[in-house]
Amino acid sequence: MNEFNNLIHGEWVAGTGYSPNVNPSDLSDVIGRYTQGDAAQVDAAVAAATAAFPAWSTGGVQARSEALEKIGNEILARKEELGTLLAREEGKTKAEGIGEAARAGQIFKFFAGECLRLAGEAIPSVRPGIGIEITREPVGVVGLITPWNFPIAIPAWKIAPALAFGNCVVLKPADLVPGSAWALAEIIHRSGIPAGVFNLVMGRGSVIGDALVNHAGIHAISFTGSVGVGGRIAVACAETHKKVQLEMGGKNPQVVLDDADLAQAVELCVQSAFYSTGQRCTASSRLIVTEGIYPKFIEAMKARMAKLKVGDALAQGTDIGPVSSQSQIEQDLSYVEIGRSEGATLAVGGERLKRDTEGYYMAPALFSESAPGMRINREEIFGPVASVIRVKDYDEALAVANDTPFGLSAGIATTSLKYATHFKRHAQAGMVMVNLPTAGVDYHVPFGGRKGSSYGPREQGRYAQEFFTTVKTAYTNA
Ligand code: NAP
């Protein structure tokens, strides 16, 4: 059995033991054994990053750009292999895995260019004879903590801007799916960047994540994960004076108006509610449908969902792979029971499925006749479970869409320019989609939300520099 170690100061080092990485499509398939680090390894990784920082942060943008370009090119050249590994360990389909791997490659290539474009300002002082320069400098040593649902894209969209802008990195990937992050670390290791600039410490969040968040040598934490963990990290970062960026959960609304193109609306609802097994922070879990189209919408959703093929993530023809883990499928199935007990109608799905191999298979579930106040409409389920809320008109749809503690992504299906325009302006979300699924975004523009979904500067695109740099104002009396 292959064993995979942590990367600290350019060396592969074993932690305190190994943990199996199990394929959720086939529980008898162990992908590899990944080491479990400890707080001492976090200390060593932070020390390595600290030592590497002076040279990396001042060594010039050409070397950084070349390294990022090389990493991006290798990921793209190996996207089939990396995407297959990703699908095998996380459970999204092979096509989705390859798409995610390709996205990771594109992100590195984007930031290869972006580090050459970091600009400052030169402006006159209010005092004659004095000049002012406003520049951006790297933050220092950054800790990156990532979730299991995008095991290569999320590490990529944090690592690439961190390195591009001259920071040194300690990455702690999700314990459930360390394989894709390890493969990415191995590519970064061979890219020619100096030892210590990038470090990987795998292990439990309560051990490695906690040690990073509380470490005096870490200057900033970029976290993606659940609201509960994110909130605790924000408090710890405030107490230890770290810059912090949190991307957290969602309960994203998808509005469907009477004037929508029904076939298009059904397709985008199925896509954003159930693809990637509904395990996307941007998934639509509340389908808010006006009463004129409601009966047709429910029937069309049922017909479309009957055609969805749930199966092994790597098998040809699979639309929906397994749920990622035992605890996640238990949570998903328990919410199906909660929805029933709250009085919503289970229109289709919601049961555990048997396949040729033992895995976490579940039939995507759709509730109809659900009410906005039900727990299934307020709490993030993070699985293939969506519910439909019937509303009178656009105004009620918008009010229901915004009635949530979250604010990541919001969508509307309509042929009306008036409603589309109003929704873009008034949806309380960081990302708004018109006649598109709430999930599925470009890699070169900002990503993030409002309210309980996000905290701190946006990720991705040129906005990423806000978090991964710090501003300096210099005065010169020439
Ligand atoms: P999670 O349980 O919060 O874990 C996220 C990361 O935090 C993991 O690496 C985890 O380590 C680590 N962690 C756990 N406890 C920690 C602690 N005490 N201190 C520091 N780090 C700790 O989230 P998840 O279940 O992996 O991911 C699902 C969540 O992520 C959902 O809520 C989803 O909406 C959200 N998400 C948000 C976005 C976005 O951009 N808004 C994108 C994707 C996912 P372990 O793996 O060892 O537990």
Side-chain angles (χ1 to χ4, degrees):
M1 175 59 63
N2 287 337
E3 290 184 337
F4 299 88
N5 288 329
N6 287 328
L7 178 65
I8 299 173
H9 198 243
E11 304 287 333
W12 295 104
V13 288
T16 55
Y18 291 88
S19 165
N21 184 5
V22 177
N23 177 350
S25 299
D26 176 1
L27 305 188
S28 68
D29 176 28
V30 177
I31 295 153
R33 285 159 44 80
Y34 290 77
T35 205
Q36 293 277 314
D38 60 11
Q41 287 200 323
V42 172
D43 284 344
V46 174
T50 305
F53 181 70
W56 179 249
S57 58
T58 58
V61 290
Q62 184 65 29
R64 288 187 226 154
S65 179
E66 283 172 9
L68 294 178
E69 184 74 22
K70 193 168 171 199
I71 295 164
N73 285 339
E74 180 167 347
I75 296 170
L76 286 174
R78 292 173 53 195
K79 67 180 181 184
E80 291 262 343
E81 171 209 339
L82 293 167
T84 303
L85 167 66
L86 198 166
R88 190 173 157 212
E89 71 170 346
E90 197 269 351
K92 62 183 64 170
T93 64
K94 190 171 163 183
E96 289 170 332
I98 293 168
E100 183 181 331
R103 180 192 176 92
Q106 285 153 346
I107 288 168
F108 274 95
K109 288 171 73 73
F110 174 79
F111 281 104
E114 203 57 9
C115 62
L116 305 176
R117 288 188 284 266
L118 189 65
E121 286 179 77
I123 56 174
S125 167
V126 293
R127 291 169 285 166
I130 294 176
I132 302 176
E133 289 159 37
I134 303 167
T135 52
R136 288 186 175 273
E137 296 185 352
V139 179
V141 177
V142 299
L144 311 179
I145 301 175
T146 56
W148 51 260
N149 67 326
F150 282 94
I152 195 164
I154 294 181
W157 83 49
K158 295 183 190 298
I159 296 166
L163 297 180
F165 299 130
N167 302 282
C168 292
V169 168
V170 181
L171 169 70
K172 182 252 169 292
D175 197 33
L176 185 67
V177 288
S180 302
W182 189 91
L184 175 59
E186 201 271 332
I187 292 171
I188 296 172
H189 175 56
R190 284 186 292 93
S191 69
I193 66 167
V197 168
F198 172 82
N199 304 273
L200 170 78
V201 185
M202 299 177 288
R204 302 294 299 273
S206 54
V207 179
I208 308 303
D210 190 68
L212 275 177
V213 165
N214 290 296
H215 203 292
I218 294 277
H219 303 102
I221 293 282
S222 179
F223 165 86
T224 300
S226 61
V227 175
V229 175
R232 291 197 292 280
I233 287 179
V235 171
C237 286
E239 281 171 352
T240 53
H241 309 125
K242 292 181 180 63
K243 199 169 180 182
V244 65
Q245 172 183 60
L246 310 172
E247 283 301 338
M248 300 173 285
K251 196 70 197 169
N252 307 295
Q254 172 64 59
V255 170
V256 178
L257 296 185
D258 286 353
D259 65 16
D261 174 328
L262 181 65
Q264 183 189 52
V266 165
E267 204 49 47
L268 65 88
C269 286
V270 166
Q271 164 48 257
S272 59
F274 304 121
Y275 276 66
S276 296
T277 324
Q279 299 174 151
R280 294 186 284 195
C281 51
T282 47
S284 305
S285 48
R286 296 183 299 139
L287 312 179
I288 303 164
V289 182
T290 48
E291 57 193 8
I293 200 172
Y294 184 94
K296 280 185 284 180
F297 177 80
I298 299 288
E299 287 316 305
M301 282 293 286
K302 284 203 253 186
R304 178 66 182 85
M305 287 175 69
K307 292 191 193 134
L308 289 176
K309 200 167 160 216
V310 178
D312 189 311
L314 297 180
Q316 204 153 28
T318 295
D319 296 309
I320 314 280
V323 172
S324 63
S325 68
Q326 175 70 26
S327 63
Q328 188 61 50
I329 198 166
E330 282 170 7
Q331 176 167 312
D332 299 345
L333 294 170
S334 84
Y335 270 104
V336 171
E337 283 318 306
I338 289 168
R340 273 201 181 110
S341 67
E342 288 179 308
T345 305
L346 186 59
V348 52
E351 69 278 9
R352 187 143 188 186
L353 298 173
K354 279 204 176 313
R355 291 294 179 262
D356 292 346
T357 51
E358 197 192 336
Y360 304 121
Y361 298 106
M362 174 176 170
L366 184 74
F367 282 104
S368 58
E369 305 302 340
S370 75
M374 290 176 176
R375 282 182 64 194
I376 53 167
N377 282 322
R378 300 215 64 85
E379 298 168 15
E380 185 181 48
I381 301 172
F382 215 57
V385 183
S387 40
V388 190
I389 304 170
R390 187 202 302 252
V391 291
K392 191 160 51 59
D393 55 17
Y394 169 76
D395 290 339
E396 188 183 352
L398 178 66
V400 170
N402 286 337
D403 179 19
T404 169
F406 297 103
L408 189 56
S409 184
I412 187 166
T414 180
T415 51
S416 155
L417 181 62
K418 178 179 136 189
Y419 290 132
T421 307
H422 192 272
F423 191 78
K424 278 193 279 185
R425 171 65 189 86
H426 295 280
Q428 293 165 4
M431 295 172 291
V432 183
M433 311 290 178
V434 177
N435 295 325
L436 283 167
T438 54
V441 295
D442 284 9
Y443 64 84
H444 66 306
V445 289
F447 177 96
R450 301 181 182 181
K451 302 199 272 188
S453 290
S454 297
Y455 183 83
R458 287 283 187 272
E459 296 200 270
Q460 301 195 62
R462 68 185 162 84
Y463 286 67
Q465 63 176 251
E466 199 54 47
F467 182 74
F468 288 107
T469 64
T470 185
V471 171
K472 180 174 277 175
T473 311
Y475 294 80
T476 307
N477 187 359

